[in-house]
Amino acid sequence: MALNLGTRIRRRTAPEPVVLDCDLCVVGSGAAGISAALEGARLGRRVVLVDAQPALGGQAVNGIVGTFCGLFSNGPRPHRVTYGVASDLLDALGRAGAASPRRARNSIIVHYDETALARWMEQAVSAAGVVPLLGAVLREVAVEGRRLTRL
């Protein structure tokens, strides 16, 4: 019995582009993107969160970083300088035993569990009504004046 090893070419038609209407489009779902999307939703905006990766979190989840820096000031007596979404995140991870602050040389850093952070991000985005587009590529943006009119 001979095997047919010939090459077959298959062409697929491109799907129709998806047009979404939103007030705020955030590109990138890392710590900054998640914060921007959640704050936008808290202000009553319709938010779309676009990321090329198949999961939320960027390097904070997928890079095995495990440390938040910059939430506290530098100096002999560091104090919290970042609030808002950071407070919600730290409170939730703290209650779950998934975050622990540590004194660093000049500040305080927070070690966290990446899986717990990923779950918190998923739940927070869903609860806020943010529309996540994962595994997506932003190809076109239309602007009228200073307002985006089409993605």
Side-chain angles (χ1 to χ4, degrees):
M1 173 185 261
L3 293 175
N4 181 358
L5 300 177
T7 301
R8 294 183 188 169
I9 297 175
R10 294 184 184 203
R11 296 193 193 279
R12 295 187 176 128
T13 58
E16 288 295 315
V18 174
V19 178
L20 296 173
D21 185 31
C22 63
D23 299 313
L24 175 63
C25 176
V26 178
V27 179
S29 71
I34 292 286
S35 294
L38 294 176
E39 291 292 353
R42 286 179 181 171
L43 292 171
R45 304 299 188 263
R46 292 171 298 169
V47 181
V48 174
L49 180 60
V50 180
D51 200 303
Q53 295 297 317
L56 296 173
Q59 293 298 313
V61 169
N62 302 306
I64 316 295
V65 175
T67 307
F68 287 124
C69 301
L71 301 176
F72 294 83
S73 66
N74 288 322
R77 290 181 302 207
H79 59 277
R80 247 326 257 294
V81 294
T82 306
Y83 295 92
V85 171
S87 294
D88 298 342
L89 183 148
L90 292 176
D91 290 346
L93 293 181
R95 282 191 306 274
S100 55
R102 303 262 193 253
R103 176 75 178 172
R105 180 179 49 150
N106 225 10
S107 187
I108 295 174
I109 60 174
V110 179
H111 291 279
Y112 64 87
D113 178 291
E114 292 89 352
T115 303
L117 176 61
R119 298 298 82 78
W120 179 84
M121 287 179 168
E122 291 166 358
Q123 292 167 358
V125 163
S126 177
V130 172
V131 176
L133 292 178
L134 302 175
V137 177
L138 184 62
R139 293 195 173 197
E140 180 182 350
V141 175
V143 180
E144 288 180 14
R146 296 183 63 195
R147 182 168 171 77
L148 294 175
T149 60
R150 189 178 74 230
L151 296 177

